[in-house]
Structures are given as structure tokens and as C-alpha cells.
């Protein structure tokens, strides 16, 4: 098991780190429905019941385009969505779950595992995966966005944190905190890389509603909800993982608000982290059930889709 964890940590962002019915907007622009880390839709819910979409007779959004990295692209890896193999899109990712409801008409999934800001704006990431911004049109009226985790080095963060499962834990805060903070500022700060993404979206689809998704945490919010893997990570690294995940998500929300949009995170009053039981977790350390290691599960993707539906 430790060897598998280490391998997954090394590639976590290379292939890249049910909301309640009444969401609220926080002062930082984030739409939440409870405490960080989970939400209230019952296991087994479907897109037909997503928030306000459930009662619509006709689509509220005629042309939806999903942009982003693996936290948007991946889901149940037994349900591939097609497209470039390297993108690893799943029919169970939150864009597909959202698009399956009656609130969405035409849908384009441009998400791709491993995407960074240049892959949104200028880079053809794989054959058949041109710059994601090129899939927007003047008629696009809904855009979801998940970007920035790879730009700040989430894969390296996960690899450092997970080092304790295969040996002596590294003090990741002292080794990485300064460079991670600088990368977050450069990526999400004012006039940073993510502001360029928002500007490009506004130019390409000026009338679109834009919803940005935050990164669902791997480690639980409470030590009481720990598991064997968090024990192996070491307490100092667990605490830093919580802190740096919060730092990234705060920056995601601040950038969205600064550009006139909102950021969403599904929430719940029970643990939905990678330490939760397999049929309850929203993220996974080892890739069970049927997802990439260190990524959201299909249930987590359903939760994110519901949080988006509540926000719009």
C-alpha cells in the first residue's frame, strides 16, 4: 500500500489537488452550504435533482462549456467520456453531471488532466485538446472553471506530504511553504495568471455566468476523522496540508470575487475526506472507488455539481 500511495502522490496533479439546498455567499465570494469538506445531498442522488435545475421545463443555460484541470475532468475511471486519452475525462465528472440536468442545453467538456493556465489560454495540451479558451463562443452563457492547482505545484505538495507513508516524514512546511506561498500569489494574486484567464473568458464569452470550483481536501478537517494514511503522513504534515489547501482555496475564491464571479465548495457536517468510508468519501488517497489517486471520487464530483447548481 505505501508504494502505491507514493506513486499516486508523484503523479497526482500530472494527470490532474451533494450540496445542501440552501447555499450562502460568504464575504470572500465563496458559495458554501455548511462546513468545509462536504455537503448534504444523499448518496445516490442524480443530476435530475440538482438544486434549482430540478423544476426547470427548459434549459436555463443554452451553451455550457467546462474548463479546467483534473479536479474537473476526472471521476469514475470506468466511465470514460472520450476525447484525448491524456485528458482522462469521465462521464462522472462534475461538468457531465451538471450538464445531464434540465438546466443545460448544449455542452462542451474542454477539461483536461494536468492542465495549467497556459493550457487554458495558449497551449495545445494534447492532439485534440487545443487551448481550452478556444471552445468558448459569444453564445456561451455558462462556464465552469477549475484551474491553478498545477500552477502552484499541487503534485509536489502531495508528494512531499505523502513521503511519510514510505519512510521518515519530511517537514514539508519548512521545505516548501515559502515557495508555495509565492506560487499562490503569482497564480491567483491581482494581475496574476488566473486574472488573465478571467479576462480571456470575458473577451470570448462576454455574457457568460462563470462559476469557479475550489479543490476538495484530501485530509479530514478534524484529527478525530483521521485514518492509517494520515497517521503515516505525520501530524505536522497533516496540519500543513489543511493549511495549504485552505490557502489555495482562499486564493481561488478571492480571484473569482475580484473578477465578479463566485467560487463554490460542497460542504457537509460529516467527514467526506479521503479518510471517510469508501461509499461516503469525496476524495481518495488510493484511488478507490474507481478514481485516480489523490483526486475526487464520483460522489465528490456529484457533490460539486450540486454546489454549482445551487450557486446559479
Amino acid at each position: 500500500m505505501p508504494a502505491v500511495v507514493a506513486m499516486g502522490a508523484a503523479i497526482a496533479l500530472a494527470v490532474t489537488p451533494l450540496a445542501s439546498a440552501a447555499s450562502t455567499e460568504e464575504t470572500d465570494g465563496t458559495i458554501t452550504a455548511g462546513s468545509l469538506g462536504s455537503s448534504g445531498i444523499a448518496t445516490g442522488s442524480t443530476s435530475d435533482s440538482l438544486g434549482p435545475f430540478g423544476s426547470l421545463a427548459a434549459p436555463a443555460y443554452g451553451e455550457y462549456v467546462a474548463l479546467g484541470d483534473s479536479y474537473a475532468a476526472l471521476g469514475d475511471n470506468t466511465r470514460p467520456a472520450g476525447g484525448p486519452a491524456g485528458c482522462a475525462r469521465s462521464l462522472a465528472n462534475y461538468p457531465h453531471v451538471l450538464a445531464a440536468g434540465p438546466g443545460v442545453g448544449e455542452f462542451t467538456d474542454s477539461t483536461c488532466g494536468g492542465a495549467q493556465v497556459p493550457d487554458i489560454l495558449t497551449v495545445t495540451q494534447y492532439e485534440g485538446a487545443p487551448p481550452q479558451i478556444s471552445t468558448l463562443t459569444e453564445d456561451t452563457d455558462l462556464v465552469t472553471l477549475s484551474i491553478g492547482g498545477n500552477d502552484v505545484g499541487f503534485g509536489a505538495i502531495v508528494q512531499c506530504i505523502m513521503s511519510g507513508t514510505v519512510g521518515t516524514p519530511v517537514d514539508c512546511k519548512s521545505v516548501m511553504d515559502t515557495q508555495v506561498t509565492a506560487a499562490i500569489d503569482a497564480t491567483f494574486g491581482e494581475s496574476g495568471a488566473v486574472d488573465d484567464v478571467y479576462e480571456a473568458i470575458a473577451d470570448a464569452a462576454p455574457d457568460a455566468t462563470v462559476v469557479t470550483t475550489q479543490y476538495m481536501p484530501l485530509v479530514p478537517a478534524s484529527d478525530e476523522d483521521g485514518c492509517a494514511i494520515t497517521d503515516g503522513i505525520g501530524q505536522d504534515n497533516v496540519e500543513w496540508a489543511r493549511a495549504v489547501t485552505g490557502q489555495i482555496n482562499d486564493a481561488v475564491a478571492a480571484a473569482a470575487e475580484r473578477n465578479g464571479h463566485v467560487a463554490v465548495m460542497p460542504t457537509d457536517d460529516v467527514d467526506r475526506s479521503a479518510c471517510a468510508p469508501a461509499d461516503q468519501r469525496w476524495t481518495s488517497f488510493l484511488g478507490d472507488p474507481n478514481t485516480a489517486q489523490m483526486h475526487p471520487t464520483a460522489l465528490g464530483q456529484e457533490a460539486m455539481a450540486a454546489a454549482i447548481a445551487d450557486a446559479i
Side-chain angles (χ1 to χ4, degrees):
M1 179 182 296
V4 172
V5 173
M7 181 180 299
I11 65 171
L13 265 283
V15 296
T16 274
L18 294 161
S20 71
S23 59
T24 58
E25 184 170 357
E26 305 298 334
T27 56
D28 64 359
T30 304
I31 299 291
T32 64
S35 59
L36 180 65
S38 48
S39 88
I41 282 188
T43 301
S45 297
T46 70
S47 58
D48 288 339
S49 62
L50 289 180
F53 283 179
S55 60
L56 291 180
Y61 297 94
E63 186 175 307
Y64 165 38
V65 178
L67 309 176
D69 53 26
S70 63
Y71 260 60
L74 278 60
D76 184 337
N77 56 23
T78 68
R79 299 179 60 199
C87 289
R89 295 171 191 151
S90 170
L91 291 173
N93 64 21
Y94 74 71
H96 276 87
V97 174
L98 187 68
V104 173
E106 295 183 12
F107 165 55
T108 301
D109 186 356
S110 298
T111 62
C112 195
Q116 300 183 33
V117 166
D119 301 305
I120 301 286
L121 298 177
T122 60
V123 173
T124 295
Q125 192 174 351
Y126 297 103
E127 183 178 355
Q132 294 182 28
I133 199 73
S134 68
T135 60
L136 301 182
T137 74
E138 290 186 354
D139 294 327
T140 302
D141 53 4
L142 177 62
V143 175
T144 56
L145 175 68
S146 172
I147 201 64
N150 292 317
D151 300 85
V152 304
F154 191 32
I157 293 168
V158 173
Q159 185 174 9
C160 183
I161 290 170
M162 298 301 290
S163 64
T165 64
V166 291
T168 304
V170 175
D171 183 352
C172 296
K173 181 176 181 179
S174 24
V175 170
M176 299 189 69
D177 195 63
T178 299
Q179 69 189 65
V180 168
T181 297
I184 292 171
D185 290 342
T187 301
F188 296 104
E190 191 167 355
S191 299
V194 169
D195 276 5
D196 293 339
V197 173
Y198 285 120
E199 182 178 358
I201 292 172
D203 289 342
D207 297 325
T209 295
V210 181
V211 180
T212 300
T213 55
Q214 296 171 297
Y215 292 93
M216 289 183 284
L218 290 163
V219 301
S222 169
D223 291 341
E224 296 178 359
D225 295 317
C227 54
I229 291 179
T230 54
D231 290 345
I233 291 169
Q235 185 61 31
D236 288 345
N237 282 340
V238 168
E239 292 176 2
W240 188 67
R242 290 185 187 127
V244 78
T245 301
Q247 188 179 1
I248 291 170
N249 283 331
D250 286 347
V252 169
E257 181 184 27
R258 183 172 62 246
N259 286 277
H261 309 300
V262 296
V264 300
M265 172 75 84
T267 62
D268 205 347
D269 56 1
V270 298
D271 180 43
R272 298 286 189 171
S273 75
C275 278
D279 62 350
Q280 298 179 22
R281 65 179 62 129
W282 287 352
T283 57
S284 177
F285 287 123
L286 298 179
D288 56 324
N290 297 328
T291 191
Q293 295 172 356
M294 317 298 167
H295 279 80
T297 63
L299 189 63
Q301 295 287 33
E302 181 182 350
M304 186 63 81
I308 296 166
D310 275 351
I312 58 178

